[in-house]
Amino acid sequence: MPDLDNRMTGADAVVRLMQHHGVQHVFGLCGDTSLPLYDSLARLDHGITHILTRDERHAAYMADAYARLTNRVGICEGPSGGGATYILPGVAEANDSSVPLIAMTTDIAVSGRGKFTLTELDQKALFAPITKYNDVIDRAAEIPATLCRAFKEATSGKPGAVHLGLPFDVQRDPVDDGDVAGDPTFGRVPAERPMGDLRAIARTASLLADARMPIFICGGGVVTSGAEDVLQSLAERLDAPVATTITGQGAIAETHPLALGVVGSNGGTPETRAVVEQADLVVFVTCRAGSVTTERWQYPAAGEAKIVQIDIDPAVIGATYEPDAAIVGDVRLILEALLVELAGPTAETGAQAIVAEARRAKFAAFDMLAQADATPIRPERLVADLRAVMPDDGVVVVDPGTPCPYFSAYYTLPRAGRHLISNRAHGALGYALPAIIGAQTARPDVPCVAVMGDGSFGMAAGEMETMVRLNLPVTLVVVANAHYGWIRAGQRHRYDARFFATSFSRTDHARVAEGFGLKAWSVENPPALRGALAEAIAHDGPSLVDVTCQPLDEANAPVSEWVA
């Protein structure tokens, strides 16, 4: 407890430092080593809402989605031992997805180390490979400086995940309250906007001006930096198509005449790939040009087009392609500078007609399946019907399995900004169900829908209790086919359909949801699907729609290795 000589406990200092950095929500799960922190959260007046979760992994996923949709630092916490190991997947996902997140795990007392204390493990070594910054605080006096650095690391340069270990005795030891201060600038991204090298900007502008057919391929940094409007202006100035990664969806409204949609092996199609092949200059904008976006570095092929890279992370430059020009810095400032450099008239490329034809061909086959009354329900019909009943500002979170390629390819976003999320860095199943809680916390005034396979549902079903406890108006859509569909599809297409250990028994997800207190629908008849989705979204509490769907390995999924 704080005493009379201007001191507070270490746990009090942690709470006050979060408050000074503008933290409004914390997602976490209690444990013995967390008692001092929880007492401070209970006792102090701080304005922070703590959301109790049913699993530490889910706390991290909630904080991840919350951060993506608010640009605030997502905060998750858990206890020592198992709590620290459970929270790891969400920390790894946030770090590799450039999401600002701080994971706090409490720990055994410093004085208990090396004595076989229950739940002892080396937290600093555990988190080192998956974080941008990582520390275990051994003295209470170090708390103010370490937490301030944690917020700065999470939000400066390339955003990322931070881990802090808080030993039990450090939480109880005194801290001088005069040392407890924070800068709210580092409570959200982008905290700082470094400008790119002017010579590199001039070189890039020259390449763009000379290009016959430039194309932008954009990652999630465009939305994080708030550069959507300037990207659109630059694309219009150059008459250049804009493609995105899955994480980059929302960099431009997908109804814009220059918006090509997602490219790559997951969500890309032969039609979108063909537009990339036509380009003589490819500009990767906050896109790492990894294996998925480029279909293992085939599109663009090395030497077939000039390459420009724009990224805040210098490690990205030259990692996969040798660039003809590269700019390191904040993407909004860089694109604004390029607009100034390219103020004069530019040549017509015919890009709008090329993009329109690619989109027409891409959606022709999709629309036939989306209107089909065949059973099991086609995934295309689910995408089309959900798009029809969701408002333009709604948020959809999709798991990386069965739903991801369909939604990334065909769920058209009519507004720029982040309205669709998938955890694509590591692709762990079980993300969407807990993440929708973070999404609804971030955007409480819009409908939020999570779409997942039944394999993913089984990994995270316990968080339905959290939804009911908080009475969140979120909707879960389960793509039910009793398979781990992505792996089964791989077995069909690459291993002569030798299916092994990818199927499980059918679950009545609607009855499970009703047992938790959700309102639920089961849909097997295609004409009933749209109405059920509309009713579920309109419901004033948590809801679930269990949709019996065609298995992924039998479907026409936009995944290039299966199409080939």
Side-chain angles (χ1 to χ4, degrees), residues 30-48:
C30 50
D32 287 347
T33 54
S34 305
L35 284 168
L37 177 62
Y38 272 58
D39 185 63
S40 294
L41 286 166
R43 181 169 38 78
L44 300 178
D45 181 11
H46 44 68
I48 298 170

Side-chain angles (χ1 to χ4, degrees), residues 416-495:
R418 193 157 280 137
H419 301 283
L420 190 147
I421 297 173
S422 185
N423 55 318
R424 286 304 312 150
H426 290 281
L429 299 185
Y431 173 88
L433 193 154
I436 205 66
I437 296 174
Q440 183 69 49
T441 305
R443 296 191 184 168
D445 298 324
V446 305
C448 293
V449 176
V451 187
M452 69 211 73
D454 40 7
S456 292
F457 175 88
M459 296 180 182
E463 294 300 343
M464 288 190 290
E465 185 280 326
T466 306
M467 298 170 184
V468 171
R469 174 171 21 101
L470 301 175
N471 193 33
L472 297 178
V474 297
T475 298
L476 310 180
V477 178
V478 181
V479 181
N481 49 45
H483 298 307
Y484 287 116
W486 191 281
I487 307 307
R488 186 177 176 86
Q491 290 173 338
R492 176 183 291 278
H493 292 285
R494 288 187 284 173
Y495 293 91

